[in-house]
Amino acid sequence: MRVPFTRPYYTGNEIVYMAEAMNNKKISGDGEFTKKVNTIIEQKYGAYKALFVTSGSAALDMAAILLDLQEGDEVIVPSYTFVSTANSIILRGAKPVFAEVNPNTMNVEPLDIQKKITSKTKAIWPVHYAGVGCDMDKIMEIANENDVWVVEDAAQGVNAKYKDKYLGTIGHIGCYSYHDTKNYTCGEGGHILINDPRLAERAEIVLEKGTDRKKFFRGEIDKYSWVDIGTSFLGSELLAAFLLAQLEQANQIQNRREYIFNKYYNAFKELEMNGIIKRPYIPEESNVNYHMFYIMLENKEHRNFLMKKLKDKGINSVFHYMPLHSSEMGVKMGYSANDLPITEEYAHRLLRMPLFVDMTDEEINYVIDKMMQISEDM
């Protein structure tokens, strides 16, 4: 048997809605389906304003523009994240200041954020790893005390909560991704969530290439013109139509992912008791979306051994991010591997297991059985 790491899931209505969008003769964006997916995010999740964009990276780029990041500004981010988180900061001329993770969750550690606040700090960008919420109470407390912005990189956190709030709606801005590796997908796409009303009007302008076009369409002005910077962030109607089918079944999709997660979690209890692996830790205040199931091995060598043995059995398990601070780009910025030893260590111990919605019980049990067999040699 061969088990891929992931496989996109289709509800069946994607093609129906996309055909409807084509029949509407409106596929360029900001049509019926764009409005529907924006409304879902605003009404279900509680965002003040949600804008559908071309990707999670685009949402981060928009956030950087809205906060007027510029040369001399610093933004505190975890090093253990995808490159888009840092790229959005660098593209505006600002500097990402990398912070340590909490090894229990791989989320940014508030105590290290506090240490790295300076007079140049303009924002904190927490990343909700694996759909597990960062310690947002503490992060917002630090932000408020130092008068800095908070942008939640919730690319992996759609439909997950921290306490009673959905991830992406707690900071001033939230960013979602619908890449085909995410729980809810349209291939490429994202949302920027504007939670601070002060940013809402400008967000519409930046979305529309720096024009006040939305005001024109609402009849608030008699013509639109170029009033600010911006670019083509707006996602197409075809992508929004595809996404609508996914969001309509968000809870069913999450329930299936939870089932697979729990099968792994319960099956691997013995391996954790024997000190071979460590299972994911979910804080009490987190209501997760089961974006991934990862395990921690004792060291990099054990991680690589297990990954190879699983591959030999046809199972595609993968590690995740290489820490940004020790990457080629990070070194150019003056960082080194010694700067964040916790991030460096745990990034090399982490291994992600296959988890996707239409994963069959046969595939799940095959992965578990092979894991148990291989563990006897570890």
Side-chain angles (χ1 to χ4, degrees):
M1 180 180 291
R2 303 195 67 80
V3 183
F5 173 68
T6 188
R7 191 161 58 214
Y9 172 72
Y10 309 129
T11 70
N13 280 333
E14 289 86 355
I15 194 70
V16 176
Y17 292 158
M18 291 174 76
E20 189 176 330
M22 294 172 69
N23 289 334
N24 289 343
K25 308 299 182 182
K26 169 67 175 174
I27 63 172
S28 62
D30 207 23
E32 173 189 348
F33 289 99
T34 300
K35 290 177 173 63
K36 284 182 177 180
V37 296
N38 288 347
T39 297
I40 287 175
I41 301 301
E42 289 171 359
Q43 293 186 353
K44 177 181 177 182
Y45 296 161
Y48 179 79
K49 180 176 285 295
L51 298 171
F52 181 62
V53 295
T54 52
S55 66
S57 297
L60 290 163
D61 289 345
M62 268 192 72
I65 292 173
L66 290 173
L67 300 191
D68 286 320
L69 294 185
Q70 52 195 285
E71 188 173 351
D73 291 336
E74 295 180 350
V75 179
I76 300 175
V77 297
S79 171
Y80 193 68
T81 184
F82 190 57
V83 295
S84 295
T85 315
N87 274 337
S88 296
I89 298 163
I90 294 171
L91 285 169
R92 302 304 306 160
K95 177 185 177 182
V97 175
F98 295 121
E100 279 283 27
V101 294
N102 181 311
N104 289 325
T105 61
M106 299 303 287
N107 282 332
V108 66
E109 173 54 60
L111 290 175
D112 204 40
I113 292 175
Q114 184 72 69
K115 292 176 184 177
K116 290 175 177 172
I117 292 277
T118 72
S119 60
K120 296 181 180 180
T121 304
K122 193 161 188 178
I124 303 166
W125 287 25
V127 178
H128 301 299
Y129 186 70
V132 176
C134 296
D135 186 348
M136 290 306 297
D137 282 351
K138 186 61 179 175
I139 289 171
M140 293 306 296
E141 179 184 327
I142 294 169
N144 291 333
E145 287 175 352
N146 293 276
D147 194 25
V148 299
W149 298 96
V150 174
V151 175
E152 295 176 75
D153 184 339
Q156 300 174 15
V158 183
N159 211 40
K161 288 182 178 181
Y162 171 80
K163 296 187 175 178
D164 60 344
K165 291 186 177 181
Y166 283 99
L167 302 185
T169 69
I170 305 166
H172 301 95
I173 298 175
C175 302
Y176 287 167
S177 169
Y178 305 117
H179 187 267
D180 72 1
T181 58
K182 301 300 190 291
N183 292 24
Y184 316 106
T185 181
C186 55
E188 294 282 358
H191 260 111
I192 183 168
L193 281 58
I194 307 301
N195 306 313
D196 189 321
R198 294 174 295 174
L199 301 172
E201 182 175 337
R202 189 174 184 226
E204 288 187 340
I205 291 170
V206 172
L207 178 80
E208 286 283 6
K209 309 172 187 67
T211 72
D212 50 4
R213 191 164 177 258
K214 281 187 175 291
K215 282 187 174 182
F216 171 71
F217 285 141
R218 288 195 295 261
E220 297 171 11
I221 53 178
D222 60 1
K223 60 181 179 298
Y224 71 86
S225 62
W226 182 25
V227 296
D228 201 342
I229 63 171
T231 192
S232 189
F233 287 119
L234 180 62
S236 80
E237 273 292 278
L238 291 177
L239 291 179
F242 194 109
L243 178 63
L244 178 62
Q246 298 266 312
L247 294 181
E248 286 179 340
Q249 292 195 21
N251 290 337
Q252 296 95 312
I253 290 171
Q254 184 156 307
N255 289 342
R256 179 61 186 177
R257 298 183 75 94
E258 180 182 9
Y259 170 81
I260 300 166
F261 183 100
N262 286 335
K263 289 276 285 188
Y264 282 147
Y265 192 84
N266 294 329
F268 298 156
K269 180 179 180 180
E270 179 183 341
L271 299 183
E272 184 169 52
M273 291 177 64
N274 292 336
I276 297 173
I277 68 165
K278 183 179 179 182
R279 296 176 296 173
Y281 170 74
I282 300 176
E284 185 178 344
E285 63 270 17
S286 290
N287 187 342
V288 301
N289 64 358
Y290 305 98
H291 174 62
M292 73 174 79
F293 187 95
Y294 67 85
I295 57 176
M296 286 289 182
L297 282 299
E298 185 176 352
N299 51 47
K300 182 178 180 179
E301 290 70 30
H302 284 193
R303 193 270 308 272
N304 291 346
F305 172 83
L306 176 58
M307 186 166 56
K308 181 183 182 304
K309 290 297 183 180
L310 287 170
K311 185 178 180 180
D312 291 343
K313 301 296 183 181
I315 299 167
N316 188 13
S317 62
V318 299
F319 56 82
H320 211 174
Y321 311 124
M322 299 301 292
L324 298 183
H325 72 278
S326 58
S327 67
E328 182 178 343
M329 187 67 178
V331 172
K332 287 180 182 178
M333 295 169 59
Y335 289 98
S336 70
N338 297 327
D339 293 335
L340 299 172
I342 297 174
T343 297
E344 200 72 27
E345 176 188 351
Y346 282 86
H348 292 100
R349 291 170 55 182
L350 186 147
L351 185 67
R352 298 187 292 162
M353 307 303 293
L355 197 165
F356 44 92
V357 176
D358 60 358
M359 192 175 186
T360 66
D361 281 350
E362 184 181 13
E363 288 174 319
I364 299 166
N365 292 331
Y366 180 78
V367 173
I368 291 171
D369 289 345
K370 297 308 174 187
M371 268 286 293
M372 302 305 288
Q373 291 175 16
I374 296 168
S375 69
E376 296 176 1
D377 297 327
M378 295 179 67

